[in-house]
Amino acid sequence: MAYPQFLQEWKKNTSKTIQKNVVSDYKPLLGVWLIEMALMLDWHKPTRRNGWAEIFECEKFCELTFLTCNIEYDDVEDDTPRKRLSAAYCKRVLTKQLKELHEMKISPQLPLFHNMNLLTEMLGLSNANQALLMFTAALEIFAEFKDIIASRNETTTDHLLCQVLAQLTDIPEKDFLYAISKESLLTTTGLVQIDHRIVDFEHKLNLIDGLSGVLLTPHADADEMTQRFLKRASPPTLTLDNFPHLSSETAMLLLFLKNAVEKKEIGVNILFHGKPGVGKTEYVQSLAAELGLDLYEIAFSDESGDPIKGVGRLRAYNLCQQLLGGSGNTLLMFDEIEDVFPSDFGMFSMLFGGNNENSGSHTSGKAWINRTMERNPIPAIWVCNSIGNIDPAYLRRFDYSVQFPIPPHNVRRFIAKHHLDCFQPPQAWIDRIAANEEITPGQLDRAAKVARVACSGDNLRAIELVEQTLDHSGTLLGQKRLPARNIIRTTYNLEYLNTDVEIPGIIAGLKRRAHGTFCFHGVAGAGKSELARYIADEIGKPLIIRRASNILDKYVGESEKNIADMFAVARQQNAVLVLDEADSFLADRRNAQRSWEVTQVNELLTQMEAFDGIFICTTNLMEKLDPASIRRFAFKVRFDPMTPDQIWAMFRQELVRFGGGDVVDASWECQIRSLNSLTPGDFAVAARQFELWGIPATPDKFHDLLCKECEAKGAIARKIGFCARL
């Protein structure tokens, strides 16, 4: 089984060459164990009518026990059955040899013994655990020793294993029964894996992959050996100041973790969850740096890059907790835990016995992980991308949880600049990249790498290649291309909104108390979404916009979860929450044909009532909304097409801005005022066309474009009479 980064590089140390070099140093111990097992398991009894027991014909057995192969019978009485004499004689030979082996000197400073003492010191191993680990290591390290035992085909139960170990060590059998149990230190950390089935003796015990090499490598002290097992997390490239949208969470976590470490609080577990690429791991690193804590992580891949399964990572977590238990300035990070807490508990069957048929029950698996989270001496932060498949029984065990939202626009802009400023791009380009909520820091980092390697200092080409790389990456990951913030094509001004409520008064009230539910409804392009953005900017709060594409999900229950999540994120960031296309969620329940159409409305209404912030819905189809939902909005603001005065004022402003001169000929006033059903969005359409052509605007061209927008809506020009103001 693969195991955390440590251990892998020492696998090669267990080659046969090394075994031959070291086995002679340990022969007295191995010989004692073999003779004790031979006497206990009756290996000394002949299996044929005449001759020696087979064990004396095994060259490896004789070599490890310092026996010669030419032993002769003593004189015996002729009437004694030869078989009984052979067994008795063999027993005397082995007993005599056992006494001689006990008198042989063996250095306690040999690497295996010294490292075993260091492990005992680090982990606090009991005598039985130490003996069990030593015997398992001998099976793993010394091929001759294992081969001799394998040749006997000794079918073994848990009980017989403990009897043998008790005989070899003079440690009570009951201590070994606990040492091989599912709750013991060696099995929970995975250092020793027990097959609880009835199997041959040599297959009963297995050492964690690679540990044999560690045990044969000399180490000066426990600290040096500890470094073989622990992976220190990378230093952060950001600081907590780069996560302003989590400021309230940061203040709480700094205080909580500081006191937990100082008071050595037991069982501190925090969960960070959110979509990939929102900065969870980087935040943990920044948090540890701010607190001055040493951060270690549980690896999710081995030295070869192969993934480590959930069982191995859980055992690694327990091992690291034990190794770090005496440290007073440490934090542990367990990243990508999705495979650690599956909802069906299937992995726990492997954790408690090596296979599904012979393992512990699901209940015991739950109990094990629950106890693990209650007893950990080192505070742990568990990080995952989705909690959807984690059983609530585990989620309840976390002391505190933080849902990581998609970073707000200003944070995404900083991240984009951090990765792409080396190409000296225009600020507008950075803003456009940052507008895409789907792009992750990892994608930006890789796009920058591609551009840097391919372009060799050509910044213009590098910028093009960054966009190309991000586009391909987004396609590969199935990312949406909807930006979080529209590009404003015209100058925004409240004077061009035609609403039935005084907007400045609403903004003034929200500055005094940032709370309220609003439904912005009316014709498309009238400025509903842009007003929401304007309000957020005016009162100094971040903005969160969600659309149908962000929330609706094909799986039952997921849309409701996404609705709850968007309110949780807005609450966490103290942000203005905007739900665009609200008619997709608040449709009249009387027309519902499916149950989920009702539950979505119910969930949204429930969340609205519990939300103590600013919530704005926008819709072009007010008539489709559920009556109960309409009553939930404290303010219902209708957006109508622009008045003639507004149309003429905006025409003059935008014509100048598009390069049509500083003064607009007044002769155009009557024709412009006659245009009907125009909105600020129509002016934005004309702006995009002028940008595409790259030519200055003229009054007649601008007028023609606006006329086409009116015609597209089926609007009829007003009768202007004598140019009276209508």
Side-chain angles (χ1 to χ4, degrees):
M1 181 188 70
Y3 214 61
Q5 139 187 326
F6 65 98
L7 303 178
Q8 295 298 319
E9 60 186 278
W10 293 283
K11 285 183 180 180
K12 57 187 178 183
N13 290 344
T14 59
S15 66
K16 291 184 177 180
T17 301
I18 292 180
Q19 291 169 16
K20 289 180 179 179
N21 291 338
V22 301
V23 69
S24 59
D25 294 330
Y26 300 95
K27 282 174 65 175
L29 174 65
L30 301 177
V32 167
W33 283 351
L34 285 173
I35 291 178
E36 291 278 14
M37 293 179 69
L39 293 171
M40 180 180 180
L41 301 173
D42 293 337
W43 296 351
H44 64 287
K45 293 182 178 180
T47 56
R48 297 190 299 271
R49 181 170 181 82
N50 297 310
W52 291 98
E54 289 182 1
I55 196 70
F56 288 98
E57 298 174 355
C58 175
E59 182 179 348
K60 291 180 179 179
F61 178 83
C62 293
E63 181 182 351
L64 286 185
T65 57
F66 295 92
L67 286 170
T68 61
C69 296
N70 56 352
I71 303 175
E72 299 292 340
Y73 282 101
D74 289 338
D75 292 335
V76 296
E77 299 179 8
D78 292 338
D79 60 348
T80 304
R82 192 158 183 81
K83 182 177 180 181
R84 189 177 355 145
L85 282 174
S86 298
Y89 182 74
C90 290
K91 184 174 182 179
R92 288 199 303 272
V93 170
L94 291 177
T95 302
K96 179 182 177 181
Q97 189 67 14
L98 182 62
K99 182 179 179 181
E100 293 183 8
L101 288 174
H102 277 301
E103 293 175 354
M104 289 185 179
K105 300 293 185 181
I106 186 167
S107 173
Q109 295 305 314
L110 288 172
L112 181 59
F113 300 142
H114 180 64
N115 288 329
M116 198 63 65
N117 289 332
L118 293 179
L119 272 178
T120 299
E121 176 186 340
M122 290 187 293
L123 299 175
L125 297 178
S126 66
N127 289 337
N129 275 332
Q130 188 176 7
L132 176 62
L133 182 58
M134 178 71 80
F135 187 84
T136 307
L139 284 174
E140 179 82 16
I141 294 171
F142 306 115
E144 297 94 330
F145 180 67
K146 186 173 185 178
D147 289 344
I148 294 167
I149 295 175
S151 69
R152 305 311 304 160
N153 298 318
E154 196 70 52
T155 303
T156 309
T157 63
D158 285 359
H159 182 61
L160 179 58
L161 171 66
C162 294
Q163 284 182 318
V164 171
L165 293 174
Q167 176 67 31
L168 299 183
T169 62
D170 290 330
I171 296 172
E173 181 183 334
K174 63 180 179 61
D175 292 356
F176 284 110
L177 285 171
Y178 180 77
I180 68 170
S181 70
K182 301 165 186 176
E183 297 182 357
S184 78
L185 179 60
L186 291 183
T187 55
T188 56
T189 57
L191 289 175
V192 173
Q193 298 165 48
I194 315 293
D195 192 331
H196 293 285
R197 300 171 299 176
I198 301 175
V199 295
D200 287 346
F201 199 104
E202 70 275 10
H203 297 141
K204 197 70 178 169
L205 301 171
N206 287 286
L207 197 66
I208 190 68
D209 199 15
L211 181 59
S212 55
V214 175
L215 293 176
L216 289 178
T217 302
H219 300 98
D221 50 36
D223 288 339
E224 181 180 322
M225 192 174 188
T226 299
Q227 300 308 311
R228 308 294 194 190
F229 296 89
L230 299 176
K231 178 183 178 183
R232 188 180 289 270
S234 303
T237 58
L238 303 175
T239 69
L240 292 177
D241 291 338
N242 300 127
F243 299 88
H245 55 300
L246 297 173
S247 57
S248 61
E249 305 289 3
T250 298
M252 181 274 171
L253 289 170
L254 288 174
L255 183 62
F256 179 54
L257 288 172
K258 178 177 180 294
N259 290 334
V261 171
E262 289 179 353
K263 298 177 181 178
K264 298 186 181 301
E265 192 73 25
I266 300 298
V268 173
N269 294 280
I270 300 169
L271 176 65
F272 288 175
H273 62 101
K275 292 182 177 181
V278 294
K280 301 183 293 296
T281 302
E282 195 67 49
Y283 182 80
V284 179
Q285 295 168 343
S286 302
L287 199 64
E290 181 69 22
L291 289 166
L293 299 177
D294 296 324
L295 179 65
Y296 294 91
E297 64 176 308
I298 306 300
F300 46 82
S301 62
D302 60 23
E303 289 293 301
S304 302
D306 297 323
I308 300 174
K309 302 301 182 182
V311 177
R313 299 187 69 215
L314 274 174
R315 286 172 171 152
Y317 170 78
N318 275 303
L319 177 58
C320 290
Q321 283 287 350
Q322 292 295 327
L323 291 171
L324 296 169
S327 173
N329 197 50
T330 306
L331 184 64
L332 197 58
M333 176 172 64
F334 201 146
D335 204 351
E336 299 192 14
I337 66 169
E338 283 80 357
D339 63 340
V340 172
F341 297 111
S343 57
D344 61 2
F345 314 112
M347 55 158 287
F348 287 111
S349 61
M350 293 185 290
L351 184 61
F352 297 107
N355 62 66
N356 292 334
E357 294 86 16
N358 301 284
S359 60
S361 67
H362 295 167
T363 303
S364 66
K366 272 190 172 183
W368 179 85
I369 192 62
N370 289 342
R371 285 194 298 272
T372 295
M373 297 182 68
E374 291 171 355
R375 301 173 183 176
N376 53 299
I378 301 300
I381 297 181
W382 307 65
V383 181
C384 71
N385 296 328
S386 173
I387 61 173
N389 292 328
I390 300 179
D391 191 288
Y394 300 131
L395 295 178
R396 288 192 291 268
R397 293 284 169 174
F398 291 102
D399 301 304
Y400 193 73
S401 64
V402 179
Q403 180 179 9
F404 276 66
I406 295 172
H409 187 265
N410 62 325
V411 176
R412 297 200 304 276
R413 184 192 300 116
F414 170 82
I415 294 171
K417 285 176 66 66
H418 176 75
H419 290 287
L420 305 175
D421 247 8
C422 58
F423 305 122
Q424 301 177 356
Q427 184 59 47
W429 183 79
I430 289 288
D431 288 340
R432 185 158 61 84
I433 295 295
N436 191 334
E437 295 180 349
E438 299 282 330
I439 294 177
T440 67
Q443 288 174 274
L444 292 172
D445 182 45
R446 285 185 288 274
K449 173 185 175 183
V450 171
R452 186 173 59 253
V453 172
C455 297
S456 303
D458 184 348
N459 287 341
L460 291 179
R461 176 58 182 147
I463 290 172
E464 294 176 357
L465 196 53
V466 165
E467 289 200 51
Q468 181 177 333
T469 305
L470 291 176
D471 181 67
H472 291 182
S473 174
T475 300
L476 181 67
L477 298 175
Q479 293 174 335
K480 301 179 178 68
R481 296 300 198 278
L482 291 176
R485 191 176 184 95
N486 293 333
I487 299 174
I488 308 303
R489 303 288 180 176
T490 60
T491 302
Y492 189 78
N493 193 325
L494 292 181
E495 296 297 324
Y496 302 139
L497 300 182
N498 184 13
T499 62
D500 60 349
V501 176
E502 288 293 328
I503 301 302
I506 289 179
I507 295 175
L510 291 176
K511 287 181 178 179
R512 290 191 298 270
R513 182 171 186 269
H515 171 73
T517 53
F518 300 82
C519 180
F520 291 174
H521 64 97
V523 297
K528 301 183 289 295
S529 298
E530 287 309 318
L531 177 59
R533 294 185 174 94
Y534 182 84
I535 290 174
D537 291 340
E538 283 295 300
I539 65 177
K541 288 185 177 295
L543 178 74
I544 295 175
I545 296 181
R546 292 292 180 265
R547 303 175 179 85
S549 58
N550 302 124
I551 296 176
L552 293 178
D553 196 284
K554 61 183 177 181
Y555 295 109
V556 175
E558 286 301 307
S559 296
E560 290 83 347
K561 179 179 178 298
N562 293 337
I563 290 171
D565 285 347
M566 76 174 182
F567 279 95
V569 170
R571 192 177 293 110
Q572 183 185 54
Q573 296 187 27
N574 192 24
V576 175
L577 176 59
V578 178
L579 179 59
D580 217 351
E581 308 163 358
D583 45 278
S584 300
F585 306 96
L586 293 176
D588 195 330
R589 284 172 288 185
R590 292 173 297 184
N591 300 324
Q593 298 179 353
R594 303 173 183 85
S595 61
W596 52 263
E597 293 177 311
V598 175
T599 57
Q600 286 180 14
V601 176
N602 292 342
E603 179 65 28
L604 187 53
L605 296 181
T606 300
Q607 292 292 338
M608 283 174 58
E609 291 181 346
F611 186 60
D612 188 29
I614 300 174
F615 177 56
I616 301 173
C617 282
T618 69
T619 179
N620 301 333
L621 303 170
M622 182 71 162
E623 65 280 2
K624 291 182 59 177
L625 298 191
D626 185 85
S629 67
I630 295 176
R631 292 195 298 271
R632 298 298 205 287
F633 293 104
F635 296 89
K636 291 170 275 291
V637 182
R638 188 180 71 248
F639 286 69
D640 290 320
M642 300 167 69
T643 65
D645 284 345
Q646 291 173 323
I647 293 173
W648 173 237
M650 191 166 189
F651 179 85
R652 288 181 297 168
Q653 170 189 284
E654 296 304 302
L655 185 62
V656 171
R657 196 169 69 87
F658 297 156
D662 295 335
V663 180
V664 180
D665 191 338
S667 63
W668 285 95
E669 182 174 358
C670 290
Q671 296 183 63
I672 299 303
R673 285 179 174 277
S674 69
L675 298 176
N676 199 7
S677 300
L678 284 179
T679 66
D682 297 321
F683 283 85
V685 172
R688 285 193 289 270
Q689 296 189 47
F690 282 124
E691 287 180 359
L692 177 64
W693 294 325
I695 60 174
T698 60
D700 57 340
K701 188 63 177 178
F702 198 1
H703 173 262
D704 289 344
L705 292 176
L706 294 177
C707 285
K708 289 180 179 179
E709 293 304 311
C710 291
E711 293 172 2
K713 299 178 181 181
I716 302 175
R718 297 184 184 90
K719 295 181 178 181
I720 61 175
F722 294 96
C723 294
R725 292 178 181 268
L726 300 179

